[in-house]
Amino acid sequence: MTQLTDVRKIKKIALPSYPDVTIEVYDGLLTYQVSELQKYDTDIDRGIATLKLLIKSWSFTDAEGKPLEISIDNLKQLPTRDFSAIMNEIGSIMGDEEGKKK
């Protein structure tokens, strides 16, 4: 019998504006997560929600040095070039995985 586990791979991403921050992202979504994204009306909202689902961890902290939650509100605080860098990297990772499957 085979156990159903999360087999997604994890990759680290660096951000242009925050070179000391480490972000770990999954290489794809789980099936139930795809349906969660359908509730968003705009591409930008879907993009931010996708990042929230794909980011496994990050090293951002709050003013007190406590780990900052990976939330939609916090993701909206990223500069657009960092948001784009993450989305581009995720697109590349997911594209590579799709190519390997074919």
Side-chain angles (χ1 to χ4, degrees), residues 7-8 11 26 28 45 50 58 60-61 80 82-83 86 94 101:
V7 296
R8 295 178 291 175
K11 181 169 182 173
Y26 293 108
D45 287 339
T50 300
W58 66 13
F60 282 112
T61 60
T80 54
D82 294 309
F83 178 84
I86 298 170
M94 293 175 80
K101 288 177 187 173

Side-chain angles (χ1 to χ4, degrees), residues 15-35:
L15 297 179
S17 301
Y18 305 94
D20 58 328
V21 169
T22 302
I23 297 181
E24 292 183 321
V25 296
Y26 293 108
D27 67 350
L29 295 168
L30 298 174
T31 302
Y32 81 91
Q33 293 173 320
V34 175
S35 64

Side-chain angles (χ1 to χ4, degrees), residues 43-53 71-73 75-76 83 87:
D43 288 341
I44 190 71
D45 287 339
R46 250 187 312 283
I48 292 168
T50 300
L51 283 189
K52 181 182 181 308
L53 295 172
S71 69
I72 289 177
D73 287 338
L75 285 163
K76 287 180 178 181
F83 178 84
M87 290 299 285

